[in-house]
Amino acid sequence: MTLGKTIDGKAFAAKLRGRIGEGVTDFVAKAGRKPGLAVVLVGEDPASSVYVRSKGKATVEVGMESYEFKRPATISQEELIELVEELNGDPRVDGILVQLPLPKHLDDAAVIATINPAKDVDGFHVVNAGKLAVGDPSALVPCTPLGCLMLLKDELGDLSGKEAVVIGRSNIVGKPMAALLLGESCTVTIAHSRTQDLASVVHRADIVVAAVGRPEMIKGSWIKPGATVIDVGINRVPAEEEGKSKIVGDVATAEAISHVAGITPVPGGVGPMTIAVLLRNTLVAASAREGLTAPAGL
Ligand code: NDP
């Protein structure tokens, strides 16, 4: 085994977007229209605005329609719910994504619950979470964990019987990640802030997925030689150069790189996969709405 390989999520995501583009061409030929993704952005949060812009650009690049709905931070809960209901009924729209987090006076859960589960391309609706939990293949699965699973299967092939440790138990990353790994017949442990002796829990893993949100918290010495590591974390920290900042993951990559089988870099690992899978989910949702079989290999 050659150790210390970087897993190039950026390259994998580009290939995936290429396959989605081909699937979109096929969809247009059969359905006579383009798949459509609606993104709702509330307020002026700069990070959210950047995400929404790049999602819109990527959507158009694969041949889909992108609809952006920008609303002021002062929007009421009722107005936002009304917008989501309109999108539920809009025949041009196959996928609805409400950019989170929402301003404090709005109830994320109530807004997500309003999205038609068949258009819930983020996979956050309880219907899709429930389908994932019971192994129903029609689930729309949250983009980040599905992207992580694709990278793991590309690296390792069959995951059956592998010991997987997921650090983090959020509904967006940790829990769906664990459900996906269980679906692949891994032996799954979910660690979180109350886990005791995290170092030894991590040390038994063949697969480590870190989704904590704490810069380089997972030390290289915790990771078993030959393990495969997916670093979901995105943490902004001060850079060496005065006044500048940089992005690092949840894993101390420099300490781990020499003895892991593979590790995703931050940036350029999981991040690009998230948007590619969003496009994949939109094409899958559009195909289901039109009664078409979703393209194979996505
Ligand atoms: P949350 O804050 O919702 O969850 C973090 C999880 O980490 C919680 O379950 C928490 O445990 C656990 N945790 C916190 N501190 C510790 C600790 N000291 N030891 C063990 N576990 C701990 O974050 P998200 O799941 O939304 O995101 C996680 C990271 O992934 C963030 O950096 C985020 O920016 C990034 N991210 C990246 C994406 C991408 O596209 N690359 C997409 C989504 C997220 P507890 O439940 O006990 O509090």
Side-chain angles (χ1 to χ4, degrees):
M1 189 192 310
T2 320
L3 297 181
K5 186 170 158 289
T6 292
I7 300 171
D8 191 346
K10 203 171 167 189
F12 189 96
K15 276 191 257 162
L16 178 58
R17 288 198 307 274
R19 293 201 296 278
I20 294 165
E22 288 164 19
V24 170
T25 306
D26 195 44
F27 177 91
V28 172
K30 288 178 179 147
R33 67 175 184 90
K34 294 180 179 184
L37 173 63
V39 179
V40 178
L41 174 63
V42 179
E44 307 283 334
D45 178 61
S48 293
S49 303
V50 171
Y51 285 137
V52 167
R53 249 201 320 278
S54 36
K55 282 169 187 169
K57 190 166 160 267
T59 307
V60 171
E61 272 170 12
V62 293
M64 299 186 191
E65 292 287 0
S66 165
Y67 307 103
E68 276 180 31
F69 297 86
K70 291 190 181 156
R71 294 294 182 267
T74 51
I75 191 172
S76 69
Q77 177 82 6
E78 292 69 31
E79 286 167 323
L80 184 56
I81 291 208
E82 208 173 296
L83 171 61
V84 171
E85 280 168 348
E86 268 171 40
L87 297 174
N88 282 342
D90 187 333
R92 302 167 307 161
V93 171
D94 299 291
I96 303 169
L97 181 152
V98 178
Q99 185 66 41
L100 301 176
L102 291 170
K104 296 239 176 318
H105 69 283
L106 299 168
D107 177 355
D108 293 14
V111 174
I112 290 166
T114 308
I115 299 173
N116 175 354
K119 295 190 175 188
D120 169 39
V121 283
D122 252 344
F124 295 162
H125 193 288
V126 287
V127 165
N128 283 313
K131 284 183 173 180
L132 174 61
V134 299
D136 179 334
S138 73
L140 284 166
V141 177
C143 303
T144 300
L146 184 54
C148 295
L149 184 72
M150 287 178 182
L151 291 178
L152 283 168
K153 286 171 85 168
D154 187 57
E155 282 299 304
L156 300 172
D158 182 15
L159 306 183
S160 163
K162 296 207 181 292
E163 191 83 41
V165 172
V166 179
I167 312 140
R169 57 174 163 179
S170 71
N171 291 334
I172 292 173
V173 189
K175 279 185 205 150
M177 186 75 243
L180 286 170
L181 290 166
L182 190 59
E184 297 296 324
S185 300
C186 293
T187 303
V188 184
T189 303
I190 308 178
H192 45 77
S193 66
R194 308 291 172 89
T195 297
Q196 294 189 10
D197 196 3
L198 184 60
S200 2
V201 172
V202 170
H203 201 71
R204 60 173 189 249
D206 304 310
I207 294 170
V208 178
V209 181
V212 184
R214 292 180 182 258
E216 304 189 332
M217 193 197 90
I218 313 295
K219 302 300 169 206
S221 60
W222 299 5
I223 297 167
K224 181 169 79 173
T228 300
V229 182
I230 304 290
D231 190 350
V232 184
I234 300 177
N235 308 289
R236 188 168 286 282
V237 296
E240 292 73 25
E241 201 181 326
E242 181 98 13
K244 300 255 172 172
S245 66
K246 61 176 180 179
I247 302 285
V248 299
D250 288 342
V251 180
T253 306
E255 297 170 9
I257 190 86
S258 59
H259 62 279
V260 294
I263 185 164
T264 55
V266 179
V270 174
M273 288 300 292
T274 298
I275 293 188
V277 176
L278 172 67
L279 305 176
R280 179 244 176 228
N281 281 358
T282 304
L283 180 56
V284 167
S287 303
R289 283 188 65 228
E290 293 289 346
L292 299 169
T293 323
L298 291 183

